[in-house]
Amino acid sequence: MINRIGLGLALAGAVLLAGCGAGGKGEARHVLPTDITPIHYDIAVRPDAAALTFTGSVGADVEVGAATDTVTLNAADMTFGKVQLDGSNVTPTVAFDKDAQTATLTFDTPLTPGKHRLAIDYTGKINQQAFGLFSVDYDTPQGSKRLLATQFESPDARRFAPMWDEPALKATFKLTVDAPSADMVVSNTPVEKTEALEGGLIRTTFGATPKMSSYLLFLAVGDFERVSRKVGDVDVGVVVKRGSTGQAGFALDSAEQLLPWFNDYFGVPYPLPKLDMVALPGGAAAFSAMENWGAISYFEKAVLVDEAVSSESDRQGAFGTIAHEMAHQWFGDLVTMNWWDDIWLNEGFASWMANKATHVFHPEWSADLQTMAGRDGAMNLDARAATHPVVQPVADARDTAFDTISYQKGQAVINMVEAWVGEDHFRDALRAYMKKHAYGNTVSDDLWSAVEAASGQPIRQIAGDFTSQPGVPLIKVTSLGSAWRLAQRRFGVDAPSRKPLTWSTPVAATWPGLKRDWRGLVSMGQSVRIKGPADAPFLANYGQAGYFRTLYDDKAFGRLKTSFGTLAPADQLGLLYDYWAFGQEGTAPVARWLDLAANLPADANPVVWMQVTDVLGQIDRLYDANPDQTAWRGRARTLLAPVWARVGWTPVAGEPATTVLLRARLIEALGRFDDQTVVAEARARFARMDLPAAIREPTLTVVAMHADAATWDRLHDMARTSTNALEKQQLYSVLGETRDRALARRTLELALSDEPPTTLRQNILRGPSANFPAMTWTYLRANKTRADALFAPGSMVGMLQRITGGWADETIANDALAMARAEGEVPQRLKASLSAAVYRARVRRERLDEIGEWVKGG
């Protein structure tokens, strides 16, 4: 699954996050009894989209291991009707446990060991957010329409049918759906047969799925169209709402490239006869795409490309998301983690494979450089108390941590291990792993066993250190004349994250410009002394494959600073990311990052400049409501002026795709820094509707930032009346960027009104939450009942995970945390987001004076 961390930065490793996990407390797992194993399900449903309800029946073939008079399975938000056992009507006592989301059927006569068939008629609920079977309303030139789709990870298949809803309890599924004859019905497998029914309905029966986990089952019903082509023996299609086929070409072309490559890389061909990519209007608070086997679901922005609306970032993000979800067809679907403890085996690997595939097909995108943003984001969280191990105990499937640690740290650890053992050995290991465990379930050790067998290297210690414990190693480099000492400690920004831990850390070091390098392991308490050329710059973690931060003593840093402009872009990024982290925490002066940024050549790699631009924006947020912000913005404009002079508004034929990305970042940043020339040009382009797709969103963002009431009203009217779902999402999102307090208040009221599509509300809230966090929090707290209803069956607590990323206010962060605790277990991602807000508040208190001195010295 691509989560929301990741969509906008699918290539930057900030891919793509779903779920709301806390986990990791060592409680006993909330799992089903092991005496009954499902083998096959026949599920039939008849949705009533208008009433937001559905009726269903399930027939489950099961294997009973020992005589029992009770059957416990998962069920949520449903009621049971007739029950049959082995074809006979029975009347068991049914006890629902709402907390555990289970139903226990107690029979008068025990079930004997062996095969049985349990059949249950039931009714269920269609949700308006992406849980279980849900609806999506969208506008068309002919008026509003509604489609239905499912989202079952994790764990919401139990909202669709009573079943054994755990990843290790794999079974085959056969789905039958009664739906309006004008609608298309899509599921994991091809249609087996159809039958006309009374009342304008058609009954569609799909072929049986392979043996798979319940969360991979999928259904969509709506006014769809499908475009497709054969890729080998597989029918690859893109399913879109009617009228959107013109936006599907990029996805179809991408899948045609990727499928043969994945077949070859994994050494196991894709096993289903078809592979659909189903594009849904709108969005979800938690995720952007889901790897349902044979029928991947996406929200439109994550997969469709509209030449008039979609930016270069959208295009690259779509490719990364498509690659991520297609990689899941092997890592996650064919081979699935045994339990949610090991969700990283799905998500970390899919993220890593997406990056690898992007590098193959689009080297011009510099995916390896962009991915470093995700690794840095993981290290930022991993250096705070709110982190957790990559592999963590998960007591309840609802607490699975679909977060930066599972995705981006998992991806970074895989990348580090691959670099250590070699690409060929690692690929051989994955091929053996796939063949051995196809249609089965695994734990992390199964993977490391395969890597050790293929490479002949004892990798378990390294892999275990980085996946079984939290935290970030810090490698301290000390100059010793013609030698260097490497020592390890833990990097953390609060007391819990500084608790000593040790890692067997693979380190690759070099002397830039010289044909010498060094590789070895560094651990706590076992420093390493390396001899080398005296007075030469020395670089640890060259190529940046390692998951650690590097701190240089003054002499070593000075040499790297002098040669900074000549370092490889990856190593420039490594220094910038590390020294921004050190500057915030106080490990090193924040002026060191500022000096590196100021000395970056204007013609440096655009991805490096994107990091500089993003950090300047982070610093600007720290200055919000501070009178010194004007001086800071002037200094930031000066720092960006040389690169803006090179990039400008107008693209140059043949320029790198990364320059296109940088241009968009610079327009938005300079607008934020009150560059009056940029603001005037953005307004002029908006007035004449000169908005090329590549700069459309940042231009609209600048206009919205500086909007008066009339301009905001115009943007609002454009959002309200647009029938292009991608454009509507873009326009509603930029409305919240206003820096006018009264207009921000109107944005908040709009988000909780009846006007916007339900699935876009969190997009609208992000802007005011970043610009006016205290006002936003006060408004949402006062309107919590309304917000809970709009985001049901989640709640405002779940939504807060998505909109608190810009907070730097300890008071409101603690208030939000207290509210969440009052409702139960706090989602892991909300803990992480609020802990970041508390940390930013500390950085604001402790670092602005130092930054201010640097500004004055400029």
Side-chain angles (χ1 to χ4, degrees):
M1 186 187 323
I2 284 278
N3 53 30
R4 277 287 173 189
I5 290 178
L7 175 58
L9 292 172
L11 296 181
V15 238
L16 323 55
L17 310 178
C20 51
K25 289 191 173 181
E27 307 98 328
R29 286 180 179 172
H30 297 172
V31 296
L32 296 169
T34 58
D35 55 350
I36 297 178
T37 304
I39 300 167
H40 174 77
Y41 298 93
D42 290 303
I43 299 173
V45 295
R46 176 177 288 192
D48 184 338
L52 293 177
T53 61
F54 68 98
T55 59
S57 65
V58 58
D61 296 325
V62 301
E63 181 78 32
V64 176
T68 179
D69 62 355
T70 62
V71 174
T72 300
L73 71 172
N74 293 113
D77 290 343
M78 58 179 58
T79 58
F80 287 2
K82 182 176 69 176
V83 178
Q84 289 188 320
L85 182 63
D86 298 327
S88 299
N89 291 336
V90 290
T91 55
T93 301
V94 180
F96 288 96
D97 185 329
K98 186 176 180 181
D99 241 11
Q101 297 185 332
T102 60
T104 298
L105 290 73
T106 303
F107 296 88
D108 293 333
T109 304
L111 281 70
T112 58
K115 290 182 170 57
H116 293 272
R117 183 172 177 84
L118 176 66
I120 302 172
D121 292 344
Y122 61 95
T123 60
K125 176 183 177 182
I126 299 174
N127 296 298
Q128 291 183 283
Q129 294 287 346
F131 298 85
L133 180 61
F134 67 98
S135 67
V136 177
D137 295 340
Y138 61 97
D139 294 328
T140 76
Q142 294 75 40
S144 180
K145 290 190 176 183
R146 172 171 291 175
L147 60 81
L148 305 178
T150 57
Q151 171 61 24
F152 293 156
E153 188 182 36
S154 75
D156 287 315
R158 61 193 64 179
R159 298 180 189 274
F160 184 67
M163 64 176 70
W164 286 261
D165 191 16
E166 294 179 2
L169 297 177
K170 289 190 170 185
T172 57
F173 295 80
K174 192 164 188 176
L175 182 61
T176 298
V177 184
D178 296 346
S181 59
D183 284 348
M184 181 185 293
V185 185
V186 183
S187 189
N188 306 77
T189 55
V191 172
E192 186 177 89
K193 64 179 180 179
T194 59
E195 175 188 354
L197 305 176
E198 293 181 356
L201 299 179
I202 285 185
R203 175 167 293 163
T204 302
T205 300
F206 294 92
T209 70
K211 186 179 179 183
M212 67 182 195
S213 300
S214 53
Y215 73 89
L216 299 171
L217 186 63
F218 178 73
L219 170 66
V221 181
D223 186 16
F224 292 121
E225 296 180 280
R226 182 176 187 266
V227 293
S228 64
R229 67 180 65 142
K230 277 280 191 176
V231 180
D233 294 329
V234 180
D235 179 19
V236 177
V238 182
V239 178
V240 297
K241 69 181 189 304
R242 186 169 300 280
S244 297
T245 55
Q247 300 171 353
F250 180 82
L252 199 55
D253 291 344
S254 299
E256 184 177 25
Q257 289 180 311
L258 288 163
L259 186 59
W261 188 80
F262 281 133
N263 282 335
D264 176 68
Y265 188 91
F266 288 121
V268 176
Y270 175 77
L272 277 72
K274 66 99 172 171
L275 175 59
D276 278 328
M277 294 173 282
V278 184
L280 308 173
F287 73 102
S288 302
M290 175 63 206
E291 63 268 21
N292 317 294
W293 212 0
I296 304 168
S297 58
Y298 302 81
F299 286 102
E300 286 182 334
K301 186 176 174 63
V303 68
L304 301 185
V305 172
D306 185 321
E307 296 300 333
V309 175
S310 302
S311 65
E312 178 64 22
S313 178
D314 292 332
R315 181 185 299 271
Q316 294 188 23
F319 187 90
T321 304
I322 292 164
H324 179 108
E325 301 305 329
M326 287 184 65
H328 269 312
Q329 306 300 291
W330 287 265
F331 252 109
D333 297 2
L334 180 65
V335 181
T336 312
M337 76 277 152
N338 191 64
W339 182 248
W340 302 102
D341 298 13
D342 280 303
I343 188 61
W344 84 281
L345 284 175
N346 287 15
E347 302 303 345
F349 266 92
S351 300
W352 174 78
M353 281 300 296
N355 184 69
K356 184 170 281 288
T358 302
H359 181 72
V360 169
F361 292 106
H362 292 286
E364 73 279 10
W365 291 354
S366 299
D368 291 345
L369 297 181
Q370 293 197 57
T371 301
M372 289 178 65
R375 186 193 67 169
D376 183 70
M379 284 198 268
N380 288 337
L381 171 55
D382 218 11
R384 300 197 304 272
T387 190
H388 60 84
V390 171
V391 180
Q392 63 163 346
V394 174
D396 189 311
R398 288 166 289 182
D399 294 335
T400 304
F402 293 87
D403 66 356
T404 305
I405 299 300
S406 299
Y407 283 70
Q408 281 70 52
K409 182 176 180 180
Q411 175 184 358
V413 170
I414 296 162
N415 193 59
M416 180 174 65
V417 170
E418 183 201 33
W420 191 249
V421 303
E423 287 190 54
D424 291 343
H425 287 318
F426 199 74
R427 185 191 60 225
D428 292 343
L430 294 190
R431 288 176 174 175
Y433 173 88
M434 285 292 159
K435 288 176 182 175
K436 181 177 181 178
H437 299 288
Y439 303 102
N441 297 83
T442 60
V443 295
S444 294
D445 196 60
D446 294 316
L447 176 68
W448 305 134
S449 294
V451 175
E452 286 196 345
S455 67
Q457 298 189 46
I459 202 68
R460 273 191 177 87
Q461 181 67 52
I462 295 172
D465 285 352
F466 282 88
T467 58
S468 65
Q469 61 186 7
V472 183
L474 184 148
I475 302 298
K476 173 68 183 297
V477 177
T478 303
S479 302
L480 303 171
S482 59
W484 288 259
R485 183 175 65 242
L486 306 186
Q488 182 194 107
R489 64 176 174 84
R490 185 178 180 183
F491 176 70
V493 303
D494 48 35
S497 64
R498 295 189 184 111
K499 180 181 177 182
L501 291 172
T502 187
W503 295 261
S504 295
T505 304
V507 177
T510 192
W511 293 262
L514 304 177
K515 294 183 178 180
R516 294 190 59 177
D517 56 38
W518 176 89
R519 277 168 44 105
L521 296 175
V522 180
S523 300
M524 180 87 76
Q526 297 179 346
S527 63
V528 176
R529 184 184 176 99
I530 307 170
K531 291 185 177 181
D535 299 324
F538 175 81
L539 183 70
N541 204 13
Y542 83 91
Q544 302 300 309
Y547 185 82
F548 59 87
R549 296 207 183 276
T550 309
L551 179 68
Y552 298 90
D553 69 6
D554 291 347
K555 186 180 293 185
F557 178 82
R559 291 169 181 165
L560 286 172
K561 177 182 170 183
T562 300
S563 60
F564 184 63
T566 65
L567 296 180
D571 296 320
Q572 290 175 331
L573 280 170
L575 275 171
L576 286 166
Y577 281 126
D578 285 350
Y579 274 84
W580 175 232
F582 296 151
Q584 291 176 89
E585 196 275 332
T587 307
V590 71
R592 289 196 170 174
W593 182 90
L594 293 163
D595 288 341
L596 290 174
N599 291 329
L600 186 66
D603 62 352
N605 189 288
V607 180
V608 182
W609 270 111
M610 286 194 288
Q611 194 274 351
V612 170
T613 304
D614 290 348
V615 172
L616 295 177
Q618 292 175 45
I619 295 172
D620 188 66
R621 289 286 189 196
L622 299 177
Y623 271 108
D624 281 349
N626 187 312
D628 292 333
Q629 189 172 51
T630 300
W632 161 252
R633 287 178 171 173
R635 187 70 173 91
R637 293 195 301 269
T638 299
L639 197 153
L640 294 178
V643 68
W644 176 241
R646 287 179 58 86
V647 173
W649 283 91
T650 306
V652 177
E655 69 182 7
T658 49
T659 298
V660 181
L661 294 178
L662 177 59
R663 176 177 295 111
R665 297 279 184 95
L666 288 171
I667 289 170
E668 183 171 339
L670 290 169
R672 183 171 303 282
F673 301 150
D674 296 328
D675 185 305
Q676 293 307 307
T677 303
V678 169
V679 173
E681 179 65 15
R683 285 171 165 164
R685 286 173 176 265
F686 178 64
R688 63 179 185 265
M689 281 291 119
D690 177 14
L691 299 170
I695 59 170
R696 177 185 173 87
E697 188 162 359
T699 304
L700 289 171
T701 298
V702 173
V703 169
M705 281 180 194
H706 298 273
D708 57 15
T711 303
W712 191 91
D713 285 340
R714 184 182 174 194
L715 286 166
H716 178 203
D717 190 58
M718 289 168 63
R720 184 179 54 80
T721 59
S722 176
T723 57
N724 180 323
L726 292 174
E727 180 183 54
K728 181 181 286 287
Q729 180 172 345
Q730 185 181 79
L731 288 164
Y732 269 125
S733 297
V734 302
L735 276 175
E737 295 294 336
T738 178
R739 300 202 309 211
D740 181 281
R741 189 176 185 86
L743 294 176
R745 173 73 184 202
R746 288 178 60 187
T747 306
L748 293 172
E749 293 167 352
L750 172 66
L752 298 192
S753 74
D754 293 330
E755 177 192 307
T758 300
T759 54
L760 293 185
R761 296 181 190 279
Q762 73 279 352
N763 299 62
I764 301 172
L765 287 167
R766 286 191 184 109
S769 185
N771 293 331
F772 299 95
M775 182 178 74
T776 299
W777 172 240
T778 300
Y779 181 80
L780 290 175
R781 188 177 53 186
N783 291 276
K784 184 177 183 302
T785 301
R786 169 71 173 164
D788 282 344
L790 288 172
F791 290 95
S795 66
M796 190 175 92
V797 169
M799 176 270 294
L800 282 174
Q801 301 172 74
R802 305 299 165 180
I803 69 166
T804 53
W807 287 10
D809 186 318
E810 192 168 359
T811 300
I812 63 172
N814 287 334
D815 194 16
L817 185 63
M819 185 202 72
R821 283 176 174 154
E823 297 199 357
E825 185 65 43
V826 182
Q828 177 67 38
R829 289 174 61 192
L830 183 57
K831 289 180 184 176
S833 182
L834 296 178
S835 77
V838 172
Y839 180 53
R840 279 190 292 270
R842 192 185 107 197
V843 174
R844 171 182 280 167
R845 289 193 306 271
E846 297 178 358
R847 302 289 168 250
L848 282 189
D849 285 348
E850 184 182 350
I851 294 171
E853 289 302 312
W854 184 87
V855 170
K856 292 174 184 176

